[in-house]
Amino acid sequence: MTPAMNPRYHVAFLACIVLFSSLLSAQAPPAGQQPNPSQPTNPLAPAQKLVSEGKLDDAIAFYKDALQAKPDSWQAYLGMGAAFDLKGDYKAARENIQKAIDMTSGNDKVRGLRSMAVSYAFTSDPQNAAKYEEQAFNLQMAANNYDGAAGIADELARIYLENGDLKNARKWYQTGHETALKNPKLSDADKDLWAFRWESALARIAARQGNKAEAQQHAAAAKAIIDKGTNPEQAQFLPYLMGYVAFYGGDYPAAIAELQKANQKDPFILVLLAQACEKSGDQKQAMDYYHKVLQIYAHSPTGAFSRPIAQKKVGT
């Protein structure tokens, strides 16, 4: 293959164009349109698109070229780390994410710390994930960002939950709930939101413990909060919750029925569907769902929980 035909050369060439363009301070806008300084061009957007398309090697090449042009781009290190995680090269992923962490402070460091926690979630290592989530939590608490800290606590709780550490899952979900309520500016709707998240957490923990009646009780309490109408955007999460409770309660037909109503772009929901189909004896449908999981390139807790499972099932 000649250089002109090699996709990597096209990617590298595109990277140079984008990075060069981003340095031009007087780039002409389209005819009739004035430049909008509040919406700067993201020079790494093409790499992010390549990741979303599963072109991980091309994305990594793009990030490397970007770092040649701008060695202090912590965003490039972070993006490259995510791409390596999705490839399954966790050592390279963590080396790059750590570089991003070392280069940042404040909210940027929080982002890097959470990304490192996700990397450890990919390898089912909640103890190491916790080391980074706790640092991020403490940074947000120091900044009096109670909502941010509560969200991180819930994220860590979910990592513990999906790795079977129910004691620490409950501890951190409770920490998240109590932290959120420290915010003096919480509206009644906000309080309902955090009450819903707490009941949802308790329902899932009880389901994992095999306490069907308790799980259903908390799931019903969560639904009652949504039925108040103060957080209508949260209603989309009810089928996931009901499906989760049904799955761990051993009612696989009910789990499938509920999870099929949930977000079909969430890889964790798809992997639960796949597992429920397997339990129901529908291996073909299960494999279809596992393949769908692998078509989603998400560097997130849901991606970390689901992708390795699907890879083992599909054999990739």
Side-chain angles (χ1 to χ4, degrees):
M1 180 181 291
T2 65
M5 295 170 61
N6 191 324
R8 176 162 176 170
Y9 279 85
H10 289 292
V11 172
F13 178 68
L14 178 59
C16 293
I17 292 173
V18 174
L19 288 169
F20 176 73
S21 299
S22 70
L23 297 175
L24 299 180
S25 59
Q27 185 175 10
Q33 179 179 328
Q34 295 301 314
N36 186 350
S38 67
Q39 295 181 344
T41 300
N42 176 7
L44 299 178
Q48 295 162 358
K49 184 173 186 293
L50 287 167
V51 169
S52 71
E53 294 170 349
K55 300 173 183 177
L56 302 176
D57 288 331
D58 288 344
I60 290 167
F62 191 110
Y63 284 123
K64 287 180 177 178
D65 289 333
L67 286 164
Q68 287 290 322
K70 195 172 186 296
D72 63 345
S73 175
W74 63 267
Q75 297 96 329
Y77 279 118
L78 203 60
M80 188 155 57
F84 274 121
D85 264 335
L86 291 165
K87 276 195 69 176
D89 189 343
Y90 305 116
K91 181 176 184 293
R94 291 161 192 169
E95 287 173 352
N96 282 281
I97 295 170
Q98 187 60 55
K99 289 176 183 178
I101 293 171
D102 292 342
M103 296 168 68
T104 52
S105 60
N107 285 333
D108 294 337
K109 185 176 287 292
V110 166
R111 181 177 165 188
L113 291 167
R114 293 177 71 181
S115 186
M116 186 71 90
V118 168
S119 182
Y120 280 105
F122 269 98
T123 54
S124 301
D125 187 350
Q127 284 72 34
N128 273 312
K131 294 176 184 178
Y132 294 91
E133 294 279 27
E134 289 180 27
Q135 289 180 61
F137 175 83
N138 290 334
L139 283 172
Q140 295 289 55
M141 289 297 289
N144 293 323
N145 184 352
Y146 298 116
D147 285 348
I152 291 167
D154 276 12
E155 184 172 81
L156 174 55
R158 193 172 182 189
I159 291 172
Y160 275 125
L161 176 64
E162 299 312 329
N163 282 282
D165 188 339
L166 306 184
K167 180 179 178 181
N168 275 314
R170 184 185 177 98
K171 169 189 169 183
W172 279 97
Y173 273 126
Q174 184 170 355
T175 297
H177 183 64
E178 292 174 353
T179 300
L181 297 183
K182 291 179 180 179
N183 184 351
K185 297 182 180 179
L186 279 186
S187 65
D188 288 341
D190 292 332
K191 293 175 182 177
D192 284 343
L193 172 61
W194 284 102
F196 167 70
R197 289 173 174 169
W198 177 232
E199 291 293 347
S200 174
L202 292 174
R204 286 176 286 134
I205 291 170
R208 294 294 294 265
Q209 291 172 328
N211 298 330
K212 296 182 185 180
E214 183 182 343
Q216 291 170 354
Q217 179 183 354
H218 287 298
K223 183 179 183 302
I225 295 168
I226 295 302
D227 288 344
K228 292 172 65 175
T230 53
N231 289 275
E233 72 286 351
Q234 297 297 311
Q236 64 180 306
F237 298 111
L238 282 174
Y240 157 67
L241 174 59
M242 300 304 177
Y244 192 105
V245 168
F247 177 81
Y248 282 102
D251 189 346
Y252 304 117
I256 292 169
E258 289 293 343
L259 291 168
Q260 285 177 336
K261 302 174 193 173
N263 181 5
Q264 300 301 290
K265 294 183 180 180
D266 184 324
F268 186 65
I269 288 170
L270 293 176
V271 89
L272 281 180
L273 270 166
Q275 292 171 316
C277 288
E278 275 189 311
K279 297 287 188 180
S280 299
D282 191 344
Q283 186 65 27
K284 182 181 182 301
Q285 185 64 67
M287 292 305 293
D288 286 344
Y289 281 121
Y290 284 128
H291 280 286
K292 287 181 180 179
V293 170
L294 296 178
Q295 293 168 11
I296 301 173
Y297 294 85
H299 194 261
S300 64
T302 57
F305 302 148
S306 55
R307 190 169 191 82
I309 294 173
Q311 286 173 327
K312 288 179 183 177
K313 293 292 184 177
V314 173
T316 59

